[in-house]
Amino acid sequence: MAEEEQVLGKAYDARLMRRLLGYIGPYRRSAFAAIVCLVLGSACSIVQPYLTKLAIDRSIRRGDIGGLAGIAALYILSIVLVFALNFGQTMLVNLMGQKVMRDLRLEIFRHLQRLEAAFFDRNPVGRLMTRVTTDVDTLNELFTSGVLSVFDDIFTLTGILIFLFLLDHRLALAILCVLPLLVAVTLLFKIKVRDSYRRVRTAIARINTFLQENITGAAVVQIFGQERKQYRRFTAVNREHLDANLQSIFYYALFLPLLEVVGALAVALIVWYGGLQVLSGTLTLGTLVAFIQYSDRFFRPISDLSEKYTILQSTMASSERIFNLLDTPPAIISPEQPAARAVERGKIEFRDVSFAYRPGEPVLRNISFTVQPGERIAVVGATGAGKSTLIALLNRSYDTGGGAILIDGVDVRDYELAALRRSIGIVLQDVFLFSGSVMDNIRLGNRSIGAGDAVRAAETVHADPFIRRLDGEYEARLGERGASLSVGQKQLLSFARALAYDPKILVLDEATSSVDTETELLVRDALARLLAGRTSIVIAHRLSTVQNADRILVLHHGRLCETGTHQELLHRRGIYWKLYQLQYRDQAPAVATGP
Amino acid sequence: MNRSRYPLLVLAPYLGRYRGRLLVGSFMVLLTVIAGMCAPWALKYVVDGLQQSVDGSRLFSYALLIVAISLVEGFFRFWMRRILIGVSRQVEYDLRNDFLAHVQKMSLSFLQSRSTGDIMSRATNDLGAVRMVLGPGIMYSMNTVTLLVISTAILVNLNWKLTLLAYVPLALVSISVKQFGRRIHDRFEEIQEQFSALSTRTQENIAGIRVVKAFARENSEIRAFGILNLEYVRRNVSLIRLWGVFYPLMTALIGLSSVALLWFGGRQVIQGRLTLGEFVAFMGYLSLLAWPTIAIGRVINIFQRGSASMRRILEILETPPGIRDLEGAEEPPDAGGALEIRNLTFSYPSSPRPALSDVSLSVPPGKTLAIVGRTGSGKSTLANLIPRLYDPPPGTVFVDGRDVRGWPLRSLRRRIGYVPQETFLFSDTIAENIAFGLESKAGEEDILSAARVSRVAGDIESFTQGMQTFVGERGVTLSGGQKQRMAISRAVIGSPDILIFDDSLSSVDTYTEEKILRELGKVMENRTTLLVSHRISTVQRADEIVVLEEGRVVERGTHGELLRRGGAYADLYHKQQLEDELSEI
Ligand SMILES: Nc1ncnc2c1ncn2[C@@H]1O[C@H](COP(=O)(O)OP(=O)(O)OP(=O)(O)O)[C@@H](O)[C@H]1O
Ligand SMILES: Nc1ncnc2c1ncn2[C@@H]1O[C@H](COP(=O)(O)OP(=O)(O)OP(=O)(O)O)[C@@H](O)[C@H]1O
Ligand SMILES: [Mg+2]
């Protein structure tokens, strides 16, 4: 949690709401059909109390059994209709909700794919997962129980109001008296509930972040026996979730009964005021009974509306976060009109490049150099000198802070991003394998790479022998992050991956650091043939791996201090020479143990 | 009482902890229901009263009564919700804590056999479904049952024949519940499975986003996600179809009761066997039944989902930790760090071929054993067996003369300082990461001196926030060598008896490597050390060097002995030597 989620500022309910509703747009036909079902459904169920009234006033009081039968038949008809319409409406609304969520999930996922590396430096995996999964699921409520039934509620309300006014306008007005009270109660709670829901959402993201990290890092926790410490930390995060929830429970527990009290006030008004009218003979008893029943039905949608309004607050809390993510503009994107579509020759030029991850901590300073097409370049330097950063700039994982990087004379920022990256094959220092088969990991879902190419790439890096011994060979399933392989084996696989892409420019960042010398030598020889005609940049700590390069760049504290061939650099007696001397002196090494 | 058939039973002890509150809560349910019953009763008086003639003040007091009743009901309802839903959150909290505690104990082979996203979705999404059972589920069912019992009693009292009539459609409810319940369960389980798949995919994609980007694989990732996403929707829809029928059915059934009442009750009124007031009240009570009937549908839905999810949680909770303290585990009295391995043959559960075959080694306290060997020869496997990340077969790995399986896990691991081959740092400050293994708060000085050993102190100084710099997840904001050196500092800070370095200088330049080795030399002086490396320069001064090949020890001896023998080690030496000489030309 490098950076806690910012507490979101002022809530723009209306804007959020409008935006959410925008997602319904493509499905407005089903939305419309659902609304029709809803409205018809409520129309059918509205008549039910009226039928009761008719039964009492027309049939029962008059002793008309035949009429009663007719009314009962109508009643049954309305039940069947309500059933059918309800079913239709449930299906339509839920299907729509599912589709909207599908779209939203995909949109978030797609957006995540466009965001730059720096974004992922700041945001833990667990938090981003929460956005794609649980935050979207929370919106379900909005679409299923929320949005459309608002129409229903409003329709029901209007319908009932008309009925009430037709029945007796004085009583109807009496009922309306309590409405302001309702609005006041709702507004008051809205604020509180929204707040606690925000806390809940943040807590959920933190729980996910913690779980993600502690499951992937379980080995470290176990080795260091820190289960208890991590457990304590987890309970704290979990506790925050609990507290936030308890808070919202408190408000809900208060809110719902209050709504009912308001409803009861209305009934009381009817009983008193209407009762007086019955006494004075200006109202029939049947009308009064109907009124009481209707007032129940009148308040249900109203309290529904209020409750929904408050439930909306929980979905708002989620959607705020989702939209916040969607509104984070990707900092590194393809230009509108790419000047070049693909790398043709592989000439690389760094022009006065400077870069800092964090302001005030420059990592690269004024780096300039040129790599000719087909040239083999090695980059050396002490750890933390900025070597990996150099290549992260090359494929635009980050954009330079100053200066420019040109490939074939075109600024990398003017390349189509995907094309640029496809032209540069990188073996990253941090190996990452996906769970899936060995073959999937080499091809990475790229259909243009044939199985034969993949196998050839694996043979080149001498991964083939160990792959052949796996159960299932190239189709063997690997665990998460390639858990069932040794580290060197993983490294070879990720090496094969870069080769299979047949890139114009090949970048190897410590590509064989965990591989034994024998394999390393074999790989190097095989690679020598493969590198012909390609530009390559090799980063390595073992000088033996870099000395055959056409040119060696020496980085020191973010500056390019020396360049030249192995021999030239040795003669210069500079930093390279110092590094070199040390390596050969350590034939008298430093492990000072034993006698 | 079969747990796999009724997974929700597991919750009993959790609820037991809050039995006091639950008791009060159920009492509140009862009171709420009773208070709710009073409202139609008051209405009955109103209607009956109006037929005879009451005066205005009487009416006014009825009106007041109605408000008063709702206030009392509201009070009880408030406490009912607060207590019962509150308890459900408490249990959720307890359960989630226990879930984590359990996952922490699970062996690596278990964790590797599942994906992180899957385990996570159980701890959040599935737990959420179980929570619904504990809160709304229990509350609604109590409410429903109480309401049903009381209204039935009242209805019977009013008119048992009518009651019977009203209940005929309700009987259909229970039948349909049985029909639907099982299917809801199964379909929901499928949904949760797919949710796991979706989480897993998302988790892996984000964790590996740098690879995705470097190879411009965004589109194929989106495609793959899209497929899972569609399947998730499809499964959801299949459940929706089910309760698309189920819910309206409940409403329809209760509607049928009303019709039955209207028809038969109406006739009774006409025949003068029922007063109109009674009839209206009866109608009122029947509408009281409406809500619980629909609630039954909801409750069934909640319970079925909950039990499907609980089963998924139990899959984890009921898997006993593969590696744990055995009966009578005890720390041996003489601690010095002696390490011994006898005829160790080990295979990973997922692979038929042994990763180690018949390995025997012995490292006296304070000595250094180095292991070299080709990629995949079993070096890391050997190292992992010592702190029991994987359990070795009994009688093969001994620390201080005791089988590691006879050690209490905690004290065994505390004795060992381990630098895993792959560095894992937490998203926390540098200071916290280095002091990770310490029980108590580490002193600034200790952290600094540990940082000096791996020579990462200089790098840290160059950060504006120094020791308080946050490193991203897994340490993404550090360079490869910085991460690795942090891991070295983390291992040495606790002054362990045994140090294990699994190729821990692979990302460090040779210049820094030498300096670190010099510093480490001091740290290793009195400690038993296991040193895995590919570089001769790192291992050559060890007291003994072992060469592994395909899981077997093929050579052993000191640097000099091995060179004289002219075997694999000498070959390796010459290769590295040759490199060096070549470069000098
Ligand atoms: N994502 C990041 N955010 C912030 N700082 C970073 C990030 N990545 C690297 N740094 C810092 O930039 C500096 C250079 O890192 P870089 O990875 O380029 O070094 P390197 O030369 O590749 O080192 P090594 O040989 O150890 O891999 C280091 O001080 C590191 O802490
Ligand atoms: N979790 C696992 N499940 C199944 N097989 C595994 C697992 N871990 C390693 N292996 C296999 O066991 C063998 C030995 O692996 P190990 O990690 O011990 O090799 P290593 O000597 O450390 O190699 P490296 O030098 O590459 O680190 C390899 O063939 C590897 O594929
Ligand atoms: Mg290894």
Side-chain angles (χ1 to χ4, degrees):
Chain A
M1 284 151 272
E3 160 188 307
E4 261 316 322
E5 282 184 284
Q6 63 277 47
V7 177
L8 293 155
K10 210 164 141 22
Y12 296 103
D13 281 354
R15 247 176 47 194
L16 278 178
M17 204 43 218
R18 220 171 303 135
R19 197 159 164 191
L20 271 176
L21 287 178
Y23 283 87
I24 295 185
Y27 311 107
R28 55 181 108 71
R29 281 200 196 155
S30 1
F32 185 72
I35 291 173
V36 170
C37 281
L38 257 172
V39 166
L40 290 181
S42 354
C44 288
S45 64
I46 279 182
V47 295
Q48 289 173 359
Y50 186 70
L51 289 176
T52 313
K53 173 193 139 63
L54 281 185
I56 293 176
D57 282 352
R58 296 259 172 90
S59 314
I60 297 176
R61 291 189 122 185
R62 294 190 191 156
D64 173 10
I65 292 193
L68 192 61
I71 290 172
L74 276 179
Y75 207 119
I76 290 180
L77 181 68
S78 82
I79 290 171
V80 173
L81 279 177
V82 167
F83 173 78
L85 291 166
N86 270 355
F87 172 73
Q89 179 261 338
T90 312
M91 287 304 291
L92 284 168
V93 169
N94 281 288
L95 283 183
M96 188 182 71
Q98 290 295 328
K99 285 182 189 153
V100 167
M101 287 193 298
R102 177 197 66 195
D103 295 347
L104 204 53
R105 239 180 261 122
L106 200 60
E107 184 177 344
I108 301 172
F109 190 83
R110 187 174 283 142
H111 187 71
L112 281 177
Q113 306 304 303
R114 295 174 62 216
L115 287 167
E116 68 284 358
F119 176 82
F120 294 95
D121 289 349
R122 290 192 305 269
N123 289 283
V125 180
R127 186 193 293 166
L128 299 176
M129 281 175 74
T130 314
R131 297 291 171 276
V132 181
T133 55
T134 46
D135 274 342
V136 175
D137 275 9
T138 315
L139 295 186
N140 196 13
E141 220 171 344
L142 178 75
F143 290 106
T144 55
S145 74
V147 175
L148 287 189
S149 40
V150 168
F151 290 100
D152 174 42
D153 289 336
I154 290 173
F155 176 81
T156 314
L157 270 180
T158 340
I160 292 177
L161 257 185
I162 292 172
F163 255 126
L164 290 183
F165 271 99
L166 286 180
L167 278 173
D168 190 288
H169 65 277
R170 290 155 306 173
L171 265 188
L173 280 176
I175 289 185
L176 289 185
C177 285
V178 297
L179 277 188
L181 209 59
L182 208 69
V183 173
V185 170
T186 306
L187 285 182
L188 191 72
F189 280 97
K190 171 208 139 178
I191 302 165
K192 301 282 182 190
V193 168
R194 162 68 91 63
D195 190 50
S196 51
Y197 271 115
R198 282 192 181 137
R199 281 178 61 196
V200 171
R201 296 318 306 167
T202 312
I204 280 279
R206 290 184 62 200
I207 286 177
N208 268 332
T209 303
F210 188 96
L211 285 172
Q212 204 280 138
E213 204 173 16
N214 278 266
I215 295 170
T216 50
V220 172
V221 178
Q222 291 184 0
I223 289 169
F224 288 93
Q226 291 308 311
E227 289 91 342
R228 281 184 214 171
K229 179 153 107 190
Q230 294 305 89
Y231 178 78
R232 269 199 307 278
R233 291 188 171 175
F234 184 67
T235 53
V237 178
N238 204 4
R239 163 71 61 181
E240 166 60 21
H241 179 250
L242 173 63
D243 288 344
N245 268 310
L246 289 181
Q247 196 186 30
S248 77
I249 289 169
F250 172 81
Y251 290 126
Y252 259 116
L254 204 59
F255 179 60
L256 296 180
L258 266 183
L259 285 183
E260 296 203 358
V261 171
V262 175
L265 269 179
V267 174
L269 263 177
I270 296 172
V271 163
W272 179 60
Y273 183 70
L276 284 180
Q277 309 234 315
V278 171
L279 288 183
S280 65
T282 48
L283 197 72
T284 67
L285 187 56
T287 313
L288 185 68
V289 171
F291 242 94
I292 292 173
Q293 285 197 5
Y294 272 121
S295 85
D296 190 34
R297 291 197 175 213
F298 180 68
F299 273 91
R300 218 180 301 150
I302 285 191
S303 66
D304 259 11
L305 273 178
S306 320
E307 197 186 332
K308 237 156 253 161
Y309 186 55
T310 318
I311 284 179
L312 277 191
Q313 303 310 312
S314 85
T315 55
M316 288 293 169
S318 289
S319 51
E320 262 176 357
R321 282 174 162 66
I322 290 175
F323 290 142
N324 234 26
L325 173 62
L326 288 179
D327 289 345
T328 309
I332 296 178
I333 46 172
S334 270
E336 298 264 325
Q337 247 117 31
R341 293 237 165 253
V343 174
E344 298 289 341
R345 296 179 312 132
K347 179 179 179 215
I348 302 170
E349 190 182 350
F350 273 63
R351 270 194 207 153
D352 202 27
V353 170
S354 298
F355 180 75
Y357 289 102
R358 287 179 281 247
E361 291 174 33
V363 173
L364 293 180
R365 308 170 209 230
N366 308 91
I367 305 258
S368 298
F369 63 88
T370 308
V371 185
Q372 296 305 326
E375 203 180 3
R376 285 179 300 167
I377 290 288
V379 182
V380 300
T383 125
K387 304 180 293 295
S388 304
T389 307
L390 205 65
I391 61 165
L393 295 181
L394 183 64
N395 81 343
R396 288 193 78 200
S397 291
Y398 299 85
D399 267 341
T400 56
I405 301 170
L406 295 89
I407 298 182
D408 288 348
V410 179
D411 194 313
V412 286
R413 283 169 292 204
D414 293 332
Y415 273 94
E416 204 226 317
L417 196 56
L420 172 76
R421 289 179 176 161
R422 264 196 297 271
S423 311
I424 305 174
I426 295 193
V427 183
L428 294 169
Q429 190 171 19
D430 286 317
V431 173
F432 188 95
L433 298 181
F434 294 90
S435 56
S437 70
V438 172
M439 192 54 96
D440 292 342
N441 267 293
I442 298 178
R443 290 161 69 177
L444 282 184
N446 189 338
R447 296 191 192 124
S448 66
I449 297 175
D453 301 330
V455 173
R456 244 186 322 280
E459 280 167 355
T460 308
V461 299
H462 287 267
D464 187 69
F466 86 80
I467 297 173
R468 295 278 176 207
R469 271 184 295 171
L470 294 175
D471 197 15
E473 303 197 346
Y474 280 85
E475 291 311 318
R477 315 290 304 170
L478 302 180
E480 209 167 87
R481 276 178 182 261
S484 51
L485 296 178
S486 90
V487 177
Q489 290 167 341
K490 285 189 250 192
Q491 207 168 34
L492 292 177
L493 263 192
S494 91
F495 202 152
R497 175 152 78 193
L499 292 185
Y501 266 70
D502 190 24
K504 205 81 209 132
I505 300 171
L506 189 65
V507 179
L508 311 179
D509 190 356
E510 295 284 350
T512 48
S513 62
S514 301
V515 175
D516 61 288
T517 311
E518 209 177 325
T519 311
E520 195 186 2
L521 291 177
L522 291 172
V523 172
R524 208 177 66 197
D525 295 341
L527 207 58
R529 293 193 303 276
L530 211 122
L531 282 183
R534 290 172 216 266
T535 312
S536 63
I537 299 182
V538 176
I539 298 176
H541 287 307
R542 298 185 216 172
L543 296 189
S544 56
T545 9
V546 305
Q547 64 205 1
N548 293 333
D550 297 330
R551 216 145 37 98
I552 299 170
L553 310 181
V554 184
L555 271 189
H556 192 62
H557 290 307
R559 279 182 214 285
L560 184 58
C561 292
E562 298 169 8
T563 43
T565 63
H566 179 64
Q567 295 302 331
E568 286 165 9
L569 288 176
L570 280 186
H571 286 148
R572 188 177 298 182
R573 307 215 147 210
I575 296 170
Y576 186 77
W577 179 77
K578 203 169 136 205
L579 285 170
Y580 181 81
Q581 284 296 309
L582 266 165
Q583 190 167 20
Y584 294 100
R585 263 205 291 106
D586 71 13
Q587 301 314 331
V591 182
T593 47
Chain B
M1 285 287 157
N2 184 334
R3 270 195 172 188
S4 60
R5 279 197 61 198
Y6 304 105
L8 289 172
L9 286 180
V10 177
L11 296 172
Y14 284 94
L15 286 171
R17 255 180 252 171
Y18 302 98
R19 64 180 97 74
R21 271 193 251 178
L22 282 174
L23 208 67
V24 177
S26 350
F27 196 56
M28 288 296 157
V29 173
L30 193 69
L31 291 178
T32 310
V33 170
I34 291 175
M37 290 288 166
C38 296
W41 199 254
L43 283 181
K44 172 186 144 59
Y45 277 114
V46 173
V47 175
D48 278 351
L50 281 174
Q51 279 188 311
Q52 288 118 38
S53 63
V54 288
D55 54 10
S57 69
R58 196 64 191 261
L59 267 181
F60 187 69
S61 56
Y62 283 147
L64 276 188
L65 189 65
I66 289 172
V67 175
I69 288 172
S70 88
L71 274 175
V72 171
E73 190 198 343
F75 175 80
F76 293 141
R77 195 181 287 279
F78 169 77
W79 283 107
M80 169 183 90
R81 281 194 91 90
R82 193 148 185 228
I83 293 174
L84 289 182
I85 309 276
V87 164
S88 79
R89 289 290 177 187
Q90 292 280 356
V91 173
E92 179 194 26
Y93 168 80
D94 295 344
L95 204 59
R96 190 177 280 132
N97 283 343
D98 288 1
F99 186 86
L100 179 87
H102 190 76
V103 168
Q104 283 186 326
K105 279 191 248 146
M106 298 313 286
S107 66
L108 287 192
S109 30
F110 176 84
L111 293 175
Q112 281 167 5
S113 68
R114 320 200 148 243
S115 51
T116 308
D118 176 64
I119 300 177
M120 285 173 71
S121 74
R122 288 170 207 245
T124 50
N125 200 282
D126 281 311
L127 192 50
V130 171
R131 208 281 305 176
M132 286 297 286
V133 172
L134 294 165
I138 289 182
M139 191 177 76
Y140 288 149
S141 33
M142 279 193 194
N143 208 336
T144 309
V145 169
T146 322
L147 212 54
L148 275 179
V149 168
I150 295 183
S151 15
T152 309
I154 295 176
L155 291 180
V156 166
N157 209 2
L158 269 176
N159 189 316
W160 67 268
K161 280 192 206 142
L162 279 186
T163 313
L164 220 55
L165 204 66
Y167 266 71
V168 172
L170 288 186
L172 295 177
V173 168
S174 65
I175 296 173
S176 56
V177 157
K178 236 185 143 51
Q179 285 297 314
F180 281 97
R182 190 73 225 167
R183 289 196 214 160
I184 289 179
H185 180 107
D186 294 346
R187 296 197 184 170
F188 187 67
E189 196 162 277
E190 286 169 8
I191 290 178
Q192 292 303 83
E193 233 166 63
Q194 190 61 20
F195 183 86
S196 273
L198 205 62
S199 301
T200 301
R201 185 82 205 183
T202 312
Q203 194 267 341
E204 276 207 300
N205 171 273
I206 302 174
I209 195 81
R210 284 169 183 78
V211 173
V212 172
K213 291 189 161 294
F215 288 86
R217 296 319 302 157
E218 291 92 340
N219 287 333
S220 71
E221 283 293 300
I222 291 171
R223 230 180 351 250
F225 178 85
I227 291 171
L228 292 177
N229 193 13
L230 268 188
E231 175 63 17
Y232 182 55
V233 169
R234 199 192 60 74
R235 293 186 182 188
N236 267 301
V237 168
S238 99
L239 180 61
I240 290 168
R241 208 166 287 138
L242 207 58
W243 45 260
V245 176
F246 190 48
Y247 277 150
L249 193 64
M250 296 287 124
T251 321
L253 289 176
I254 192 73
L256 284 184
S257 296
S258 296
V259 180
L261 181 68
L262 199 66
W263 171 241
F264 291 98
R267 277 176 32 164
Q268 291 206 341
V269 176
I270 293 171
Q271 290 157 5
R273 280 188 275 156
L274 199 70
T275 71
L276 191 57
E278 274 172 337
F279 177 73
V280 171
F282 207 94
M283 280 298 238
Y285 282 116
L286 200 64
S287 75
L288 281 185
L289 280 184
W291 192 81
T293 319
I294 293 166
I296 289 177
R298 219 191 282 186
V299 165
I300 294 304
N301 194 12
I302 291 175
F303 270 81
Q304 292 299 346
R305 284 167 180 247
S307 100
S309 280
M310 193 67 218
R311 219 184 50 64
R312 285 168 47 82
I313 294 175
L314 283 183
E315 269 174 25
I316 306 263
L317 278 186
E318 297 207 322
T319 309
I323 296 175
R324 55 170 184 267
D325 287 350
L326 297 185
E327 197 81 21
E330 200 182 13
E331 215 171 324
D334 51 337
L339 189 64
E340 202 190 342
I341 290 168
R342 291 184 205 149
N343 305 106
L344 168 64
T345 298
F346 176 83
S347 325
Y348 285 100
S350 59
S351 134
R353 290 184 325 117
L356 292 172
S357 315
D358 198 25
V359 173
S360 297
L361 300 167
S362 149
V363 195
K367 298 290 183 188
T368 298
L369 174 80
I371 305 176
V372 296
R374 295 191 60 169
T375 282
S377 56
K379 307 180 293 297
S380 303
T381 306
L382 186 64
N384 281 338
L385 290 175
I386 298 166
R388 286 181 73 193
L389 286 179
Y390 295 90
D391 245 346
T396 53
V397 179
F398 297 82
V399 167
D400 287 333
R402 177 175 297 245
D403 189 338
V404 288
R405 299 169 60 109
W407 277 73
L409 262 185
R410 229 175 121 66
S411 38
L412 173 70
R413 289 177 176 165
R414 213 155 15 167
R415 290 288 173 80
I416 298 173
Y418 193 113
V419 186
Q421 196 171 7
E422 285 179 296
T423 307
F424 185 97
L425 299 178
F426 290 89
S427 56
D428 207 330
T429 62
I430 289 180
E432 283 286 336
N433 265 298
I434 293 180
F436 183 73
L438 296 183
E439 299 300 315
S440 48
K441 205 104 198 94
E444 196 107 332
E445 209 26 63
D446 296 337
I447 298 179
L448 202 62
S449 72
R452 284 207 192 96
V453 171
S454 68
R455 301 196 55 85
V456 75
D459 298 66
I460 296 171
E461 250 165 50
S462 76
F463 302 145
T464 41
Q465 283 170 299
M467 282 288 180
Q468 298 310 315
T469 309
F470 255 87
V471 307
E473 234 172 13
R474 276 178 183 261
V476 277
T477 58
L478 297 176
S479 87
Q482 286 165 347
K483 274 185 272 193
Q484 206 166 38
R485 288 177 291 145
M486 293 264 299
I488 294 176
S489 298
R490 178 173 67 186
V492 298
I493 195 172
S495 314
D497 296 339
I498 299 176
L499 282 168
I500 301 175
F501 296 105
D502 190 355
D503 204 10
S504 339
L505 294 166
S506 62
S507 303
V508 176
D509 61 285
T510 37
Y511 177 80
T512 314
E513 175 183 5
E514 199 205 78
K515 294 201 165 163
I516 297 173
L517 283 173
R518 201 163 283 162
E519 290 289 334
L520 277 183
K522 294 179 217 151
V523 177
M524 284 154 56
E525 205 140 15
N526 311 312
R527 304 182 209 285
T528 312
T529 307
L530 197 69
L531 200 60
V532 176
S533 178
H534 289 301
R535 298 190 207 174
I536 297 284
S537 54
T538 312
V539 301
Q540 61 187 337
R541 266 301 186 85
D543 299 294
E544 190 180 74
I545 301 170
V546 166
V547 182
L548 278 185
E549 212 161 86
E550 312 235 323
R552 289 177 192 281
V553 176
V554 291
E555 278 177 36
R556 64 175 80 208
T558 61
H559 179 69
E561 288 164 10
L562 289 175
L563 281 189
R564 276 193 294 282
R565 173 170 312 165
Y569 183 83
D571 190 40
L572 185 66
Y573 175 80
H574 289 305
K575 281 209 171 88
Q576 295 193 359
Q577 191 75 349
L578 198 65
E579 291 285 302
D580 302 346
E581 276 159 11
L582 260 179
S583 58
E584 246 166 330
I585 302 164

